[in-house]
Amino acid sequence: MILRLLKLLQLVISQLQNYTLLELMLIFKNIKMKKRIVLFSLFVTLLSCNDALEIVQKGELNDAALFTSVANMQLFLNETYDRINTENDIQVSSLLTDEVAIGSGLTVNDTQRFFMVSTNGFAGNIWNTHYNLINYCNRLIRGAALYTPTAAELPAYNSILAQTKALRAFAHFQLLTYFSTDLSNDMAPGVMIVDFVPSINEDAPRSTTGEVFEFIESDLDYAEANLISPTGANAYKFVNNNFIKSFRARMYLYRKNYAQALVYANDVIATSGRSLSTSTVSVANFPATSSAIVPQGTGTGSTTINIDPGATFPIQRALYQVDQWVSATSPVYRKMWVDADQGEILFALDRPINKINFSSRYNTNGSYLTGGPLYDMGRTLFNLYTNPLGGGAEDFRRWCFVDRSASISTTPGTATRTGEVIVIDKYPGKSGGHTANDLKVFRLSEIYFIKAECLVRSGDLVGAANLIRQVRQARSYTGGVVPLPVYSNVTSAIADILLERRKELSFEGHRYIDLKRLGVDASVSGTDRYAQDAVNSSATSPVNISNGDYRFTLPIPQSEINVNALSQNPGY
C-alpha cells in the first residue's frame, strides 16, 4: 500500500505545474482524473497526515462541501473555462503542414520534420489537455447534482450546465478532429467518451466516431435549450449562441453533412451581429511612409530590413502602439489581432497578460526580428500574401501577419536560415504585453468559407465565388474592387476555397485538417512546403507529405495505450 501511494504521489508532483492556486483552494483534495491527471486528494493527504494511510481528513473540501450554491458552481465554471486549451492544436497544425520553417532561434524540431511517433509530445499534450477539460466539466456536472436550486435559481443553474456541456462537447470534437481517421465515417475509430469522473482503476474504451458525435450532439442539444447567452463587451469569450451555431456549422462540414452545415452557417451570418472586419488603411502611401528601407547583408541572399526611423527597435510594436493603429479609424482587422476590438470574432479564449503567452510558441520574446523567432512563416505562404488580390486591391495580410522587421531575401532559394527570417506577427501581443493574445476559435470569415464549400457541394459555384470575393475584398487595404473568381468546375472551386482558407486561417489550427479533408477534392498533392523551409530532405525527413499520409491523423499517445489498452491509429 505504501509503495502504491508513493507511486501515485510521483504522478501528482509531475502534474502540479498544470494547476493554479485557486484550483487547489476550490477543489483541494477532490480532483482526480484518468490515470495521469492530478490526484489532488492523494497529494494533500500524504503531505498533511501523520498517518499516510488516513485518507479522510477533518474539514476537507469535498463535492458536498463545495457545490452548495449556484455561486460556487459559477466559480468552478470560471476555472473550467481556464482549462480550454487549443495552443497545442494550433502549433501541431503549423508544424505538420507548410505554415512554418525552423527559425533562427531554434535548431531542429522532429514534428516539423514530419517525424511522428506514438510518444510525440504535441499529440500527447492535445490528448491530455482536452481530457483535462472534460474532467473539469464532469466534476462540475457531478457536483451540481448535489445541489437543488430554487425556482429563481433554476435558469442560471441550467445555463451553467449548458456551458459546461458545450465545453465538454467541444473537447470531444477537438479530440476527434486530430485522432479519428475519418470524421465522415461513423464506423471509424474515434476517441474515449468520458461522461463521468473516473477513478484511478477505471478504463474507458475507444468509441467509434459516430458514437462520439452522437454524444456531442446530445450535449449541444442541452446547451442550445438551456443557455442564457451572455451579454457585454466580453460575451464572445464565453459560450454563447454564436459559439454553438458556429461549432455546429464546423462539425457538420467536417462530417460532410453539407445541408446542415449550410443551415447553421446561414444562421450565423444572419444573426451573429458581426460583419467581416475591414482592412482599409487611411495612412497616406502606406506602407512606404511607415518605415525606412535599410539594406542589410551583401552578396547572394542579401536582404532588406524595414526599420522604424523613430524607434529604437523594429516597427513591430508600432502597428498597435502608435495611435494611428488603435484609433477609431484604424483597420478593424488589425485591432482584432491585438485584442483591441472584437471585430469578426465569434468566440475567443481569453488570454490576459502574464497568463498564457501563446505568441512565445512562435517567437521567444516578441514577434520582431530580435525577439528570438523559433519558427518563421513558410516561404510559400508568404508568397501568397504578396500576390495582388486583383482589381487594384492589395492584401493587408502581408503587413498584418508578417512583422515589418522581417528579413526578406531577394534570392530565397539560396538564403540561409538567418539570411531570411519571415517573422510571424499574427500574435503580436496586446497593449502592455508582447506575447499575450486571445486565441480566436471561431471567426466570421471561417463561416463564409463553410457556406462557400456547402454551396459548391450543391452545385452553386457562382454563389461560392461571391463569398470568397467578399472575404478578399475585406482584406484589401488599397481599395479597388476585387474581381469575382470564376470556377470552371467543383475541383477548381474547392481548390480556391482551400487557398483562401490557407491564407486567412493560417496559424489558427485549420491547415492540418483542411488538407486532410480537401486535399484530394482540390487536386493538390499534399503539403506545399518550400524546399528551404525543410530542416533536411531525406526518406525519413521529407520536405512534404502527400494526401492520404497516415500522419494526417495523430497517434494515440503510447502512455494511454499502455494503461488503457486502446488501439493505435494506422501507420504508427
Side-chain angles (χ1 to χ4, degrees):
M1 177 63 75
I2 293 295
L3 291 176
R4 176 179 172 83
L5 292 173
L6 289 175
K7 182 178 179 180
L8 293 177
L9 177 59
Q10 288 179 327
L11 292 175
V12 172
I13 293 173
S14 69
Q15 295 290 333
L16 277 180
Q17 60 182 348
N18 297 327
Y19 296 86
T20 67
L21 179 60
L22 180 55
E23 292 168 48
L24 294 171
M25 293 172 64
L26 277 174
I27 46 184
F28 206 48
K29 68 157 282 176
N30 196 43
I31 291 296
K32 300 184 285 184
M33 187 180 173
K34 183 86 176 153
K35 290 354 182 227
R36 297 167 310 286
I37 303 302
V38 177
L39 299 173
F40 281 103
S41 57
L42 178 62
F43 178 76
V44 173
T45 301
L46 288 176
L47 292 186
S48 62
C49 293
N50 292 327
D51 182 353
L53 300 180
E54 183 184 351
I55 301 302
V56 179
Q57 296 296 297
K58 295 179 180 179
E60 71 177 32
L61 187 59
N62 53 31
D63 279 2
L66 174 60
F67 294 100
T68 58
S69 67
V70 172
N72 280 2
M73 288 174 57
Q74 182 63 55
L75 287 174
F76 200 98
L77 177 60
N78 293 344
E79 282 298 309
T80 302
Y81 272 105
D82 282 345
R83 299 305 101 199
I84 313 173
N85 185 309
T86 60
E87 284 89 340
N88 292 292
D89 310 41
I90 294 171
Q91 193 165 19
V92 81
S93 184
S94 289
L95 294 175
L96 282 176
T97 61
D98 38 37
E99 289 187 343
V100 299
I102 297 296
S104 57
L106 191 65
T107 303
V108 70
N109 181 283
D110 283 344
T111 304
Q112 202 267 345
R113 293 170 54 211
F114 299 117
F115 182 69
M116 287 293 292
V117 294
S118 61
T119 55
N120 181 273
F122 290 106
N125 287 337
I126 291 173
W127 183 275
N128 290 333
T129 55
H130 291 309
Y131 276 116
N132 184 32
L133 170 59
I134 290 169
N135 182 67
Y136 267 71
C137 293
N138 288 334
R139 286 198 165 273
L140 179 48
I141 292 168
R142 185 181 73 173
L146 301 175
Y147 179 71
T148 302
T150 65
E153 292 175 324
L154 187 59
Y157 176 93
N158 288 339
S159 185
I160 289 173
L161 290 177
Q163 294 171 71
T164 304
K165 291 191 175 187
L167 295 179
R168 185 172 68 176
F170 180 73
H172 279 94
F173 176 71
Q174 289 297 100
L175 288 161
L176 276 182
T177 298
Y178 289 93
F179 295 99
S180 171
T181 56
D182 185 353
L183 293 175
S184 65
N185 180 359
D186 282 350
M187 299 309 297
V191 295
M192 302 183 300
I193 296 175
V194 182
D195 60 352
F196 60 96
V197 180
S199 69
I200 190 169
N201 293 318
E202 286 184 282
D203 293 335
R206 188 176 183 185
S207 299
T208 66
T209 293
E211 289 169 339
V212 180
F213 274 124
E214 184 178 358
F215 177 71
I216 290 172
E217 292 267 21
S218 176
D219 270 355
L220 287 179
D221 287 344
Y222 182 92
E224 204 164 27
N226 293 279
L227 178 69
I228 301 174
S229 197
T231 59
N234 290 319
Y236 68 99
K237 298 180 182 181
F238 300 91
V239 171
N240 53 63
N241 289 330
N242 287 338
F243 171 93
I244 295 175
K245 294 173 184 177
S246 301
F247 182 0
R248 285 191 184 275
R250 183 190 292 177
M251 177 180 71
Y252 289 127
L253 183 78
Y254 286 9
R255 296 209 70 191
K256 297 184 179 180
N257 186 342
Y258 302 116
Q260 280 295 91
L262 181 60
V263 168
Y264 283 99
N266 279 331
D267 196 355
V268 173
I269 293 171
T271 67
S272 67
R274 313 314 301 174
S275 58
L276 291 172
S277 296
T278 57
S279 306
T280 305
V281 178
S282 60
V283 179
N285 300 317
F286 174 85
T289 57
S290 60
S291 66
I293 306 300
V294 181
Q296 175 174 304
T298 58
T300 301
S302 62
T303 61
T304 62
I305 293 183
N306 295 330
I307 302 294
D308 176 11
T312 57
F313 51 83
I315 197 173
Q316 192 267 351
R317 298 283 71 97
L319 280 178
Y320 73 90
Q321 287 186 341
V322 175
D323 289 344
Q324 66 188 22
W325 295 109
V326 294
S327 68
T329 58
S330 300
V332 175
Y333 194 64
R334 181 59 183 178
K335 291 194 290 185
M336 180 181 73
W337 290 109
V338 298
D339 300 340
D341 195 301
Q342 179 182 348
E344 66 182 51
I345 302 170
L346 300 166
F347 176 73
L349 304 183
D350 189 23
R351 294 293 185 263
I353 297 169
N354 297 325
K355 187 172 185 180
I356 298 177
N357 295 326
F358 177 67
S359 178
S360 295
R361 294 287 190 103
Y362 293 101
N363 302 288
T364 308
N365 300 315
S367 54
Y368 42 88
L369 190 63
T370 58
L374 299 175
Y375 300 101
D376 302 341
M377 179 180 289
R379 179 72 194 206
T380 52
L381 177 59
F382 172 77
N383 288 344
L384 294 176
Y385 293 135
T386 64
N387 293 333
L389 296 171
E394 298 289 340
D395 200 333
F396 184 57
R397 290 170 294 198
R398 159 64 179 88
W399 306 106
C400 194
F401 297 167
V402 180
D403 183 63
R404 296 300 299 275
S405 69
S407 165
I408 309 299
S409 176
T410 57
T411 56
T414 57
T416 63
R417 182 182 300 170
T418 57
E420 176 166 80
V421 183
I422 308 176
V423 183
I424 299 167
D425 198 31
K426 196 161 191 176
Y427 298 97
K430 62 181 73 178
S431 182
H434 286 183
T435 56
N437 277 114
D438 297 343
L439 300 180
K440 290 68 179 172
V441 178
F442 294 111
R443 294 196 290 118
L444 191 61
S445 53
E446 182 197 353
I447 305 302
Y448 272 62
F449 298 144
I450 291 174
K451 180 175 180 178
E453 186 176 339
C454 292
L455 292 180
V456 169
R457 305 295 184 180
S458 67
D460 186 359
L461 304 187
V462 175
N466 184 59
L467 290 163
I468 298 302
R469 190 202 68 80
Q470 289 182 61
V471 174
R472 289 175 178 161
Q473 187 68 60
R475 301 300 167 254
S476 170
Y477 69 87
T478 56
V481 178
V482 177
L484 184 72
V486 177
Y487 303 140
S488 58
N489 51 45
V490 169
T491 299
S492 65
I494 295 297
D496 201 41
I497 292 170
L498 179 62
L499 171 68
E500 202 57 34
R501 288 182 67 98
R502 181 183 184 185
K503 293 191 292 181
E504 177 65 22
L505 304 176
S506 60
F507 312 107
E508 296 179 62
H510 292 269
R511 180 65 171 166
Y512 179 71
I513 190 65
D514 282 350
L515 285 172
K516 181 178 180 178
R517 290 191 312 110
L518 301 177
V520 172
D521 291 350
S523 193
V524 301
S525 59
T527 57
D528 183 32
R529 186 180 291 172
Y530 192 67
Q532 292 295 101
D533 292 345
V535 176
N536 58 59
S537 178
S538 67
T540 58
S541 183
V543 174
N544 289 291
I545 55 176
S546 303
N547 293 331
D549 192 284
Y550 71 93
R551 284 163 287 197
F552 279 117
T553 302
L554 294 184
I556 303 297
Q558 188 62 46
S559 54
E560 191 67 43
I561 292 175
N562 291 343
V563 300
N564 210 17
L566 301 183
S567 60
Q568 182 56 277
N569 283 325
Y572 296 101

